[in-house]
Amino acid sequence: MIEEQQVLNDAVAFITDLDGTLVADSTQVAEEDKALLHQLSEKMYIGIATGRSMKEIHYIEEQCGLICDIKIAFNGGIIDYKGKRLKDCALPQNDLAELMDYIEEHQIIFDALDNVDRIGTYTTTNLKKLWNMRLMTVPNLYQTLKEKKIYKINLRPKSDEADEMLATLRAHFPQLTICKSGNERIEITPKEISKGEALRILAEHCHLHFICVGDSENDSSMFEEADQSFCLAHAAPAVLGKVTTVIQTFSELGEHLLPGK
């Protein structure tokens, strides 16, 4: 665990997940949480690690009035450190083609992310959760997507079907990273893409210590690489078991990371 004096003196990065964590309702960052981020930025580097796109990270930066030092998009498919791109990895075209055939055959609701739009069959009435992304479909959908640069695919099963779909997909596509994020979303990225792998790359290039906070299965690998880890109490038991500290709200981090504040 990182001690207070080490936090103050060493190269430490605070990395936060977005949905369910910094953006508790997946819509808006609370004012007290924005304030906490700014306070933390005076002590350490600030980073975001999310399954969302780089475009959506920029949206949250604008909302918070803060430019992050570290940006991890698509669960590690894109990694930026202080404006320098360390990694840019989309789904391999042959795997993407196989996925599109499988999704079409089984008529799975999905959206594919190309870092500009969300393209697929998924729809929602809660447009605020889309942030600055368009949710769209295109002519000849599946063939068109096979020819695009896609970083991540979200599948949208019903909550009572998610675990079975996850197991089936992992067996069918062992060459890909597939994890559940919440009860009604399964995320598919290239092999060895994860938030934890992103931290390993950053540690190798930038020699940082990490303090991380999240709430979902796709945060688990990040927790394993962190020197100090926090998880929101609403997370699944398997996720809670991987962290050093369980918290009720994001703002509670201030009590742990900013003693005396």
Side-chain angles (χ1 to χ4, degrees), residues 100 103 108-114 117-124 134-142 144-145 148 150 152-156:
M100 285 298 103
I103 291 169
I108 300 171
I109 296 172
F110 79 101
D111 50 301
L113 283 71
D114 66 354
D117 298 308
R118 292 173 177 264
I119 309 165
T121 57
Y122 173 66
T123 59
T124 180
R134 293 186 303 172
L135 189 61
M136 59 184 295
T137 189
V138 294
N140 199 13
L141 175 62
Y142 300 96
T144 299
L145 284 173
K148 291 182 69 67
I150 299 297
K152 191 187 76 161
I153 293 176
N154 294 319
L155 304 185
R156 308 287 182 160

Side-chain angles (χ1 to χ4, degrees), residues 1-164:
M1 181 175 293
I2 297 178
E3 301 297 332
E4 178 184 352
Q5 194 60 40
Q6 187 177 0
V7 169
L8 292 172
N9 294 335
D10 287 359
V12 175
F14 171 77
I15 310 292
T16 180
D17 170 52
L18 292 183
D19 292 273
T21 304
L22 176 62
V23 194
D25 61 357
S26 293
T27 301
Q28 187 79 19
V29 182
E31 291 301 320
E32 61 184 356
D33 296 338
K34 294 178 188 178
L36 176 58
L37 270 188
H38 281 271
Q39 290 175 330
L40 290 173
S41 71
E42 297 174 2
K43 304 291 185 182
M44 60 195 82
Y45 295 136
I46 299 297
I48 286 173
T50 180
R52 290 186 184 249
S53 66
M54 193 63 69
K55 183 179 179 183
E56 289 163 292
I57 290 177
H58 296 325
Y59 174 84
I60 294 300
E61 287 181 313
E62 291 176 6
Q63 192 178 122
C64 293
L66 181 70
I67 302 299
C68 293
D69 304 285
I70 296 167
K71 303 169 191 179
I72 301 168
F74 304 118
N75 293 333
I78 297 179
I79 306 170
D80 283 0
Y81 174 71
K82 289 187 172 293
K84 179 181 179 182
R85 184 139 301 179
L86 301 183
K87 186 167 188 173
D88 190 312
C89 181
L91 284 159
Q93 293 302 125
N94 57 329
D95 291 329
L96 178 60
E98 188 178 351
L99 272 169
M100 285 298 103
D101 288 341
Y102 185 92
I103 291 169
E104 182 177 19
E105 177 185 353
H106 295 273
Q107 288 299 289
I108 300 171
I109 296 172
F110 79 101
D111 50 301
L113 283 71
D114 66 354
N115 212 27
V116 177
D117 298 308
R118 292 173 177 264
I119 309 165
T121 57
Y122 173 66
T123 59
T124 180
T125 57
N126 193 346
L127 299 180
K128 290 183 179 180
K129 289 188 176 183
L130 296 180
W131 301 355
N132 57 352
M133 297 281 279
R134 293 186 303 172
L135 189 61
M136 59 184 295
T137 189
V138 294
N140 199 13
L141 175 62
Y142 300 96
Q143 184 59 43
T144 299
L145 284 173
K146 289 178 185 180
E147 299 168 4
K148 291 182 69 67
K149 185 175 184 179
I150 299 297
Y151 289 90
K152 191 187 76 161
I153 293 176
N154 294 319
L155 304 185
R156 308 287 182 160
K158 296 179 180 177
S159 57
D160 59 350
E161 300 173 353
D163 289 335
E164 182 180 355

